[in-house]
Amino acid sequence: MDPLSEVLSLLKPSSTISSGFNAAGEWSIQFGDQHRQIKCYVIVTGGCWLAVDGVDEAVRLEQGDCFVLPRGLPFRLASDLSLSPVPAPTLFPPARAGGLVTLNGGGSFSLVGARFAVGGNSTDMLLEMLPPIVHLSRETERDALRWSIERIMQELSSHQPGGHLMAQYLSHMMLLQALRIHLSNGHQQKGWFYALADRNLSGAIRAMHANPAKNWTLAELGETAGMSRSVFAERFKATVGETPIDYLSRWRMLLACSRFENGDDPVSVVAPALGYQSESAFSKAFKRVVGCSPRQYRGRAILPSETPARLRARSSHAVSVSR
């Protein structure tokens, strides 16, 4: 399995909901933290502005455009960004499949789409690996994603046998499709996701994912990437934001989180399977990356002080592999 497929598989999309929004006049709506929900929408008529927290520039959306918010960050939709925003909960009732919200009588602007939750205690670290916005405006790009969204809405509204499960699979496919198109457009940005578009760096990332238990050295990874040790190390850190060995350590911990959530393997089994020669070395690395001990994680007992924001901060400072 390739690295992007592995990351999306660990996210485990579920609880798909389709909905729509129809507005007229001047409006501005602020949506808070999406609580681990990925949103995918198509602009049916009109246009609006999209501003996402932490992203410097707002995006202009026009009829036919598709956009995906993979990280679930707070965002604002508005006909005019200079307007004071209204909190979304004051306009939108609790989400339900096929729901439609109309503002000011509707008729000038509308969008439809789907949102789905992603699960797991390591979700915050996984979502950080994805871009904050995916904006698809070319006709061929829009058509590919629009088909997925329309099919999801059809599955959820027709109540056919197996419709809910079909919608989940379509949601996963839609996200992967959008990310693949976004990556192929050659965006020169920083982060793990964009390293996948670098032929040299992606080769090293694939090697680490294919054999996470291997005692990788910078020289070996550089050779896999077709680069010298020093050039590879510098380019990887500049692009991904952390050293190759730090990334390997973090990826190992994400795999460990998945095993703890979905199985009963003890630390004595997981540690050597991920390249650690002792349980203590593994447990120490796990706590530094994830923010709690393996025992606490397995019991879903994340410490109260370890909020998602702190977990994300910890994940960006993963330590070198201890042995």
Side-chain angles (χ1 to χ4, degrees):
M1 192 182 296
D2 65 276
L4 181 57
S5 295
E6 287 186 300
V7 167
L8 295 182
S9 294
L10 291 179
L11 281 170
K12 299 185 285 291
S14 63
S15 305
T16 307
I17 297 176
S18 65
S19 61
F21 174 60
N22 194 346
E26 299 296 312
W27 52 274
S28 178
I29 306 173
Q30 179 66 43
F31 297 82
D33 187 286
Q34 298 305 294
H35 304 293
R36 300 181 177 184
Q37 287 190 342
I38 297 175
K39 294 198 169 186
C40 309
Y41 288 110
V42 173
I43 309 302
V44 179
T45 58
C48 73
W49 288 96
L50 166 67
V52 177
D53 280 17
V55 178
D56 294 335
E57 297 183 3
V59 176
R60 179 63 186 178
L61 302 169
E62 300 291 353
Q63 181 175 327
D65 284 8
C66 302
F67 71 94
V68 183
L69 304 177
R71 291 192 194 173
L73 297 172
F75 68 98
R76 179 153 57 115
L77 288 175
S79 61
D80 183 347
L81 288 174
S82 66
L83 298 172
S84 297
V86 175
T90 64
L91 298 174
F92 290 82
R96 60 182 178 84
L100 176 65
V101 171
T102 301
L103 180 64
N104 300 331
S108 299
F109 170 84
S110 62
L111 61 75
V112 295
R115 54 188 168 187
F116 51 94
V118 289
N121 289 336
S122 60
T123 295
D124 297 289
M125 288 191 288
L126 288 163
L127 291 179
E128 280 292 320
M129 301 170 77
L130 302 177
I133 304 175
V134 172
H135 175 211
L136 306 180
S137 57
R138 297 174 187 171
E139 186 173 355
T140 54
E141 299 172 349
R142 298 184 311 198
D143 289 346
L145 193 61
R146 185 163 52 236
W147 178 90
S148 298
I149 293 177
E150 291 174 349
R151 185 62 189 273
I152 288 172
M153 296 182 70
Q154 179 183 354
E155 289 291 339
L156 292 175
S157 62
S158 64
H159 304 293
Q160 299 246 2
H164 186 72
L165 185 59
M166 178 70 79
Q168 290 186 31
Y169 288 141
L170 285 167
S171 296
H172 207 168
M173 183 184 73
M174 177 174 57
L175 176 60
L176 181 56
Q177 193 172 38
L179 292 173
R180 181 188 290 173
I181 293 172
H182 186 67
L183 198 61
S184 68
N185 286 339
H187 297 277
Q188 298 298 317
Q189 299 183 41
K190 304 297 183 182
W192 171 86
F193 177 76
Y194 297 101
L196 298 180
D198 185 304
R199 183 172 58 86
N200 301 91
L201 296 183
S202 63
I205 292 173
R206 284 196 303 270
M208 285 187 275
H209 279 237
N211 191 358
K214 179 179 170 64
N215 183 19
W216 290 101
T217 66
L218 283 177
E220 290 173 327
L221 290 171
E223 183 179 355
T224 301
M227 307 164 73
S228 69
R229 175 185 181 278
S230 58
V231 171
F232 167 72
E234 181 179 357
R235 186 160 154 183
F236 191 99
K237 186 171 184 179
T239 302
V240 179
E242 60 186 338
T243 69
I245 302 304
D246 285 351
Y247 173 73
L248 175 61
S249 178
R250 183 156 61 98
W251 178 243
R252 286 172 167 176
M253 295 307 107
L254 286 169
L255 293 176
C257 287
S258 179
R259 293 186 66 160
F260 289 149
E261 289 181 23
N262 300 296
D264 298 321
D265 290 340
V267 170
S268 60
V269 172
V270 176
L274 293 177
Y276 291 86
Q277 297 178 357
S278 71
E279 293 182 39
S280 61
F282 169 82
S283 296
K284 184 178 180 180
F286 188 94
K287 187 169 185 177
R288 287 178 175 173
V289 174
V290 181
C292 66
S293 70
R295 176 178 294 180
Q296 290 170 325
Y297 189 92
R298 190 186 288 279
R300 309 298 197 271
I302 301 294
L303 297 176
S305 61
E306 296 298 333
T307 62
R310 288 193 63 186
L311 286 175
R312 289 195 293 269
R314 284 180 179 275
S315 72
S316 65
H317 294 86
V319 297
S320 300
V321 179
S322 299
R323 294 189 177 277

